[in-house]
Amino acid sequence: MQKYFLPLLAWLLAGCVSSHETIHPPETWRGVHLWVDRESRAQELIRTLPALAKAGANTVVIEVNYSFEFQTHPELRHKNCITQKTAHALAAAARRNGIRLIPEFNCLGHQSFGDRIEPLLQAHPEFSETPLSVMTDTNFYCLSWCPRAPQVNKIIFELLDEIAAGFEADALHVGMDEVYYLGMDDCPHCHGVEPGVLFAAQVNALHAHIVGRKKLEMLMWADRVIGPKYQGYSKFDNARNDTSAAMDLIPRDIVMCDWHYAWRQTYPSVPLLAGKNFRVWPAGFLPLKAAQQLSDFSQTQGTNVVGYLATTWNQTTITNSPSWPPIKEILPRWKN
Ligand SMILES: [Zn+2]
């Protein structure tokens, strides 16, 4: 009986998997990054996906963060969060339109926006790398969690697992950008430890969970690992707090989303990352001329450059995004 049962089980499972099959990485990643931070925006994206596909997009990164109907930690949900039901509907709509959906959850940095503290540090101020009051004292506008805070990874992994399952994703974008506070003298866990070592430890913990245990692909923003010698970049798109040592301490199968918004003749971080054998996904924004330049430059940088990611940062609505020039004019330049 077992002789027949196991193949039958395998066949049934295969059928089950294929009916929920995710869209696998395309040859050329023509991406759009959107803030999908509330239920209404998820609904709007479902309606817009056919037009985005028509505009050339085959990958959409949705920045969700705490705007999801978490079951393990309902206390960490944003108000107006995306329901489980809508997340699955969005995943199905993406598949129908041949679009790979990659949810993003900002890890480590971006635990506040302006004076709004994100739910994790509201619920657990003891996880903050700095006293919460520090953000009123500085131009750097977002708080970090402490990568060595006991229990922080356990909670984050539970949130990531829920997001991956809810959006039926085969990849997660973990943020990791703009980490301005790390290895602070007044942090009891990190005092005296090099920021690059702390940063790499957080990346590696995420990788061990996402790639190692969950068998998903992992993406992150590259700005903390490309410094400090490329001083031509701004203090925002290149770390000044010496986290760049992390570049040689983290796995090469992470997709590096290398965002730069200013016009430059060249973008040296693209060949730097590609030369280290990371896959690089250059990400532009506005002005259009700079985005075109980043795109054109990146197209000359070899096969480790996987495509182009158009970030939007609310400068277009989701509905209008398919005709927004940085999407409409640049994505079609990236052929398969
Ligand atoms: Zn710390």
Side-chain angles (χ1 to χ4, degrees):
M1 179 60 193
Q2 199 179 9
K3 187 172 125 189
Y4 300 104
F5 175 71
L6 285 176
L8 178 66
L9 182 65
W11 179 80
L12 283 170
L13 283 173
C16 188
V17 168
S18 67
S19 69
H20 292 280
E21 199 175 355
T22 45
I23 301 292
H24 290 295
E27 207 166 293
T28 302
W29 301 26
R30 291 184 292 274
V32 175
H33 179 285
L34 296 164
W35 253 326
V36 182
D37 56 358
R38 66 198 73 170
E39 172 73 8
S40 60
R41 287 192 176 167
Q43 300 281 0
E44 188 182 357
L45 179 56
I46 289 172
R47 294 191 296 272
T48 308
L49 281 172
L52 273 174
K54 210 171 165 186
N58 59 17
T59 310
V60 174
V61 179
I62 52 167
E63 187 169 330
V64 173
N65 300 329
Y66 297 91
S67 299
F68 186 61
E69 193 184 23
F70 297 115
Q71 305 297 306
T72 54
H73 294 281
E75 75 282 6
L76 299 181
R77 293 176 190 167
H78 268 161
K79 213 173 131 194
N80 301 323
C81 63
I82 302 162
T83 64
Q84 297 269 346
K85 189 180 167 194
T86 298
H88 286 294
L90 180 54
R95 279 195 300 275
R96 278 199 303 279
N97 288 284
I99 285 177
R100 188 186 191 206
L101 190 66
I102 302 178
E104 177 185 343
F105 180 91
N106 276 336
C107 292
L108 198 57
H110 275 302
Q111 299 308 308
S112 64
F113 284 85
D115 59 0
R116 191 192 78 200
I117 298 173
E118 290 284 54
L120 181 77
L121 295 190
Q122 279 189 38
H124 296 279
E126 74 277 13
F127 286 173
S128 184
E129 179 67 5
T130 52
L132 297 186
S133 59
V134 78
M135 66 183 174
T136 59
D137 301 338
T138 175
N139 290 323
F140 288 146
Y141 55 91
C142 50
L143 297 169
S144 312
W145 74 56
C146 169
R148 291 189 165 188
Q151 298 299 308
V152 71
N153 281 343
K154 179 180 180 295
I155 293 174
I156 295 307
F157 294 164
E158 288 167 347
L159 301 184
L160 292 173
D161 289 352
E162 284 205 58
I163 287 175
F167 293 96
E168 302 173 27
D170 66 353
L172 284 175
H173 191 310
V174 297
M176 300 292 290
D177 59 321
E178 299 193 292
V179 179
Y180 300 120
Y181 302 112
L182 195 61
M184 306 304 283
D185 283 343
D186 52 1
C187 176
H189 308 297
C190 298
H191 174 78
V193 185
E194 284 177 36
V197 170
L198 292 166
F199 189 87
Q202 181 69 73
V203 172
N204 289 332
L206 289 163
H207 184 274
H209 184 75
I210 293 168
V211 181
R213 284 191 281 278
K214 307 305 283 191
K215 310 299 178 198
L216 305 173
E217 197 159 38
M218 179 168 144
L219 298 83
M220 60 181 275
W221 299 116
D223 52 85
R224 297 302 98 180
V225 300
I226 59 171
K229 69 179 180 181
Y230 292 102
Q231 298 294 314
Y233 288 131
S234 80
K235 66 183 178 184
F236 299 106
D237 53 353
N238 182 351
R240 296 293 190 267
N241 55 344
D242 201 20
T243 49
S244 61
M247 183 186 274
D248 290 323
L249 303 174
I250 58 179
R252 296 292 191 265
D253 61 356
I254 299 169
V255 177
M256 287 290 177
C257 303
D258 191 20
W259 63 272
H260 300 289
Y261 305 151
W263 188 95
R264 294 173 56 114
Q265 189 70 46
T266 65
Y267 296 84
S269 51
V270 175
L272 173 72
L273 290 162
K276 294 273 184 180
N277 233 5
F278 288 105
R279 283 168 296 163
V280 190
W281 202 11
F285 177 49
L286 286 171
L288 180 61
K289 197 171 166 240
Q292 287 168 330
Q293 178 72 2
L294 174 62
S295 169
D296 289 350
F297 174 79
S298 297
Q299 285 193 320
T300 66
Q301 299 304 313
T303 54
N304 279 346
V305 176
V306 297
Y308 179 80
L309 176 61
T311 66
T312 55
W313 308 121
N314 285 355
Q315 295 305 301
T316 172
T317 61
I318 290 173
T319 302
N320 292 336
S321 62
S323 57
W324 193 57
I327 291 173
K328 188 183 167 194
E329 294 184 23
I330 297 180
L331 292 192
R333 297 178 179 202
W334 289 81
K335 312 288 184 200
N336 279 332

